[in-house]
Amino acid sequence: MTAYIIRRLLLIIPTLLGILAINFAIIQSAPGGPVEQMIAKLEGFESNTANRLGNSTSAEVRSSSNGQSDYRGGQGLDPDLIKKIEALYGFDKPAIERFGDMLVNYFTFDFGDSFFRDKSVTGLIIEKLPVSISLGLWTTLLAYLISIPLGIKKAIKHGEPFDIWTSSIVIIGYAIPGFLFAILLIVLLAGGSYFNIFPLRGLTSTNFDSLSTFDQIKDYLWHITLPVFASVISSFAMLTMLTKNSFLDEIGKQYVVTARAKGLTEKQVLYGHVFRNAMLIIIAGFPSAIVGIFFTGALLIEVIFSLDGLGLLGFESVLSRDYPVIFGTLFIFALISLVMNIISDITYTLIDPRIDFESRG
């Protein structure tokens, strides 16, 4: 197993290179980059932009009408000014050189500074991380605590009234998008039209620091309830059906019939034999599920409830073409996902020692 883990760890490097190279090529070719955005601001004569560029004045912003530029909206601007803008954002170098510099910095975990936020990318991620961890951790925990027991119960009661009416709830939960359910919760419980029980914005109250420890816990849980509930609804439905189908498939196998013939109780058969095999497919999807819930799946939930987390940060950085933030978060998300997949394989072998990844190398 050790050799297999080492091979998988070494494969992380070319995989990250491929992910960054593909996304770099796509994003760099997209219109509306930071240079074009700065040019658009200069076209509007924004004084704060002129101050940021040094001694440039409004007289420098425009040159003769013969000035040419490769950037959209850059015709008529002083070429020297455009060169200053390119140097400001690092676009005075060829794309391949920028990509090489980025790789050198990223593999030392130096993600640079945001173009538009006056903060380091690492500082921004650390600042937004607690919100995403709070939402993702509670969502993942509750989704698994609800889905696995419910899926097992549905498999045992397959075709019975319990299975039928719970399937209706699961189908409704699967059909309604999480963001739509979030809006419904706001209308019903956050002062929208009916009850004003839960807060609408933020993860804590404005006076959070002045509260006692017990009141801080209550305040935090009060704020996180609706966002977590909206996220769980969209997460537990598929996991419930996956658990049920996995258990149904195992219950029908020969080893279960043999175990029952030996006189084992239904609980011994179910949790002593079936559970280990049926849970393998659930564990297989855990890394991708937790990464999705933590970093990307809660984007709309964060927007609706004004939770300033990593999902919202990534979305806003794409809109503003904040390249350091885009690539920094991409690198971290990809690295975490790859490491989680390795952890998943290790968990496989802990649950079922018969699985041997080493022999497949």
Side-chain angles (χ1 to χ4, degrees):
M1 189 66 183
T2 303
Y4 171 78
I5 294 174
I6 293 174
R7 287 198 302 271
R8 288 293 301 274
L9 288 173
L10 291 176
L11 280 173
I12 289 178
I13 297 175
T15 304
L16 283 174
L17 283 173
I19 292 172
L20 289 174
I22 293 172
N23 284 276
F24 183 87
I26 293 173
I27 293 176
Q28 293 289 324
S29 61
V35 176
E36 290 178 315
Q37 291 193 31
M38 179 63 78
I39 288 173
K41 289 182 179 181
L42 290 175
E43 288 288 327
F45 297 101
E46 290 191 7
S47 59
N48 62 330
T49 301
N51 292 333
R52 185 180 178 185
L53 291 173
N55 297 324
S56 299
T57 63
S58 59
E60 288 182 276
V61 171
R62 289 200 170 275
S63 64
S64 64
S65 59
N66 295 326
Q68 299 296 319
S69 172
D70 294 332
Y71 296 101
R72 182 180 302 175
Q75 287 74 19
L77 289 180
D78 187 347
D80 291 336
L81 183 58
I82 293 180
K83 288 181 180 179
K84 288 183 180 180
I85 299 173
E86 290 176 337
L88 181 66
Y89 295 117
F91 279 78
D92 54 336
K93 301 177 182 178
I96 188 66
E97 186 177 345
R98 296 200 308 271
F99 182 67
D101 292 341
M102 183 184 74
L103 290 182
V104 172
N105 293 331
Y106 278 22
F107 281 99
T108 57
F109 293 93
D110 178 11
F111 303 114
D113 298 324
S114 169
F115 284 161
F116 307 111
R117 294 174 182 258
D118 295 325
K119 289 184 179 180
S120 68
V121 174
T122 303
L124 281 171
I125 292 174
I126 294 174
E127 179 184 325
K128 312 298 182 184
L129 194 58
V131 175
S132 294
I133 288 179
S134 293
L135 188 56
L137 196 61
W138 284 112
T139 300
T140 304
L141 180 63
L142 290 177
Y144 273 79
L145 286 178
I146 295 172
S147 301
I148 292 176
L150 181 60
I152 295 173
K153 187 72 172 181
K154 285 174 64 61
I156 297 173
K157 302 290 185 180
H158 179 62
E160 297 183 12
F162 175 83
D163 180 42
I164 295 172
W165 68 261
T166 52
S167 293
S168 302
I169 298 175
V170 170
I171 291 172
I172 293 173
Y174 182 76
I176 300 178
F179 74 90
L180 190 60
F181 193 77
I183 295 173
L184 178 63
L185 290 175
I186 290 173
V187 172
L188 294 177
L189 301 173
S193 299
Y194 296 92
F195 304 100
N196 188 12
I197 300 175
F198 295 97
L200 179 60
R201 301 172 60 86
L203 197 60
T204 56
S205 299
T206 54
N207 63 334
F208 182 79
D209 293 334
S210 63
L211 299 175
S212 64
T213 302
F214 181 71
D215 288 334
Q216 285 182 340
I217 295 173
K218 288 198 303 180
D219 183 75
Y220 166 75
L221 294 176
W222 183 48
H223 280 79
I224 202 69
T225 297
L226 291 189
V228 167
F229 195 21
S231 299
V232 167
I233 289 297
S234 60
S235 302
F236 95 100
M238 184 177 295
L239 185 58
T240 298
M241 297 309 297
L242 182 63
T243 304
K244 176 193 173 182
N245 294 334
S246 179
F247 269 79
L248 280 178
D249 182 58
E250 292 296 325
I251 288 173
K253 291 183 177 179
Q254 184 61 42
Y255 75 88
V256 176
V257 177
T258 303
R260 286 170 175 163
K262 289 181 179 180
L264 297 179
T265 64
E266 195 66 22
K267 183 176 291 187
Q268 289 175 325
V269 172
L270 185 64
Y271 295 101
H273 295 76
V274 175
F275 185 82
R276 173 183 292 179
N277 296 323
M279 286 303 295
L280 287 175
I281 191 171
I282 310 300
I283 294 171
F286 182 75
S288 59
I290 194 170
V291 171
I293 291 173
F294 264 57
F295 302 118
T296 58
L299 167 61
L300 292 176
I301 302 298
E302 289 182 7
V303 173
I304 292 171
F305 289 100
S306 300
L307 301 175
D308 195 9
L310 289 176
L312 185 59
L313 173 65
F315 177 71
E316 291 177 344
S317 65
V318 171
L319 292 181
S320 63
R321 301 295 194 272
D322 197 345
Y323 292 162
V325 178
I326 293 174
F327 291 118
T329 53
L330 174 67
F331 181 88
I332 292 175
F333 294 168
L335 181 61
I336 291 175
S337 180
L338 292 170
V339 171
M340 289 296 289
N341 281 320
I342 298 175
I343 294 174
S344 174
D345 289 345
I346 296 173
T347 309
Y348 265 136
T349 60
L350 293 176
I351 293 180
D352 190 349
R354 295 172 300 173
I355 296 176
D356 184 12
F357 292 106
E358 189 77 36
S359 61
R360 300 184 182 185

